[in-house]
């Protein structure tokens, strides 16, 4: 099987860690974040707190992850659901996202693409990043707001302090750029 092909079906262990292959997706088909740290944990409570406080969103991670003894997987996958609080008067349903994370060295071409489009020092952050995160709309059918991927970009950029490469884009952006794009898309964020 070549790079960027769909991996064979896998499963999750009792801690919620992915046991199948994690093959990087094409940068034209997925959002990519080049993280400044090598943390692969998907800690729902921390993500939820950040999402509520800064982006007016709720985040759910499936399956739930556990990290016994502070351990963490080198590669992992999950389904992420991003919603806005139901008490608000704006979007309440966002399509699920398939999310995966892996060491940046797993796909040197993806990192090279990020370096090539980076400006204002972001290319340096990409070159130094030890971990890559990718997400795209889930294969699960359903309606929902496509802005969920952008909300997740803002959230992950704020947590991992890394630049984001949107699908098919020729530019990188960070937290500020994500917040500006959210505002332009009409997403209400807390003041």
């Amino acid at each position: 099987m070549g790079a960027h092909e769909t991996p064979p079906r896998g499963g999750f262990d009792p801690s919620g860690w992915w046991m199948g292959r994690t093959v990087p997706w094409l940068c034209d088909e997925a959002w990519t974040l080049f993280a400044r740290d090598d943390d692969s944990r998907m800690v729902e409570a921390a993500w939820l707190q950040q999402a509520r406080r800064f982006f007016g969103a709720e985040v759910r991670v499936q399956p739930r992850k556990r990290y016994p003894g502070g351990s963490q997987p080198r590669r992992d996958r999950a389904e992420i659901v991003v919603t806005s609080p139901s008490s608000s008067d704006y979007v309440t349903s966002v399509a699920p996202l398939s999310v995966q994370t892996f060491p940046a060295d797993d796909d040197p071409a993806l990192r090279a693409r990020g370096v090539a489009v980076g400006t204002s020092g972001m290319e340096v952050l990409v070159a130094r990043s030890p971990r890559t995160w990718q997400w795209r709309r889930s294969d699960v059918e359903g309606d929902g707001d496509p802005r969920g991927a952008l909300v997740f970009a803002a959230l992950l950029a704020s947590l991992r302090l890394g630049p984001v490469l949107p699908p098919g884009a020729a530019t990188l952006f960070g937290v500020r750029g994500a917040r500006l794009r959210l505002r332009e898309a009409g997403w209400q964020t807390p003041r």
Side-chain angles (χ1 to χ4, degrees):
M1 178 154 78
H4 304 294
E5 292 180 32
T6 303
R9 294 235 181 253
F12 295 93
D13 73 8
S15 292
W17 298 5
W18 179 248
M19 296 186 315
R21 289 189 57 196
T22 302
V23 179
W25 296 317
L26 294 172
C27 63
D28 288 342
E29 298 172 358
W31 295 73
T32 303
L33 177 123
F34 302 96
R36 290 182 64 185
D37 62 23
D38 197 27
D39 191 347
S40 67
R41 293 172 298 160
M42 300 181 197
V43 181
E44 185 175 295
W47 287 14
L48 181 58
Q49 179 181 9
Q50 188 89 346
R52 285 177 176 164
R53 181 174 181 192
F54 295 107
F55 307 108
E58 303 279 327
V59 178
R60 192 174 67 244
V61 178
Q62 291 295 324
R64 293 203 184 270
K65 307 287 184 175
R66 292 192 326 261
Y67 304 99
S71 61
Q72 61 180 321
R74 287 198 29 86
R75 294 163 187 82
D76 204 4
R77 294 185 77 163
E79 292 290 312
I80 307 292
V81 176
V82 178
T83 59
S84 58
S86 58
S87 62
S88 70
D89 58 355
Y90 52 99
V91 178
T92 58
S93 175
V94 176
L97 303 170
S98 292
V99 176
Q100 63 181 9
T101 184
F102 48 88
D105 291 340
D106 282 6
D107 193 342
L110 184 59
R111 181 186 282 169
R113 167 83 173 153
V115 168
V117 301
T119 60
S120 303
M122 288 211 181
E123 69 279 7
V124 175
L125 294 176
V126 172
R128 293 180 181 167
S129 68
R131 176 156 298 280
T132 302
W133 291 78
Q134 289 189 302
W135 60 99
R136 61 185 182 186
R137 279 187 73 144
S138 175
D139 296 332
V140 175
E141 291 297 321
D143 295 329
D145 190 327
R147 295 178 295 181
L150 184 54
V151 173
F152 190 69
L155 173 63
L156 204 56
S158 72
L159 291 166
R160 298 292 173 236
L161 302 175
V164 174
L165 178 64
T171 187
L172 296 168
F173 59 81
V175 179
R176 184 172 182 268
R179 289 183 68 93
L180 291 171
R181 286 166 175 79
L182 280 172
R183 191 172 332 164
E184 290 170 2
W187 187 270
Q188 304 288 327
T189 60
R191 298 200 192 287

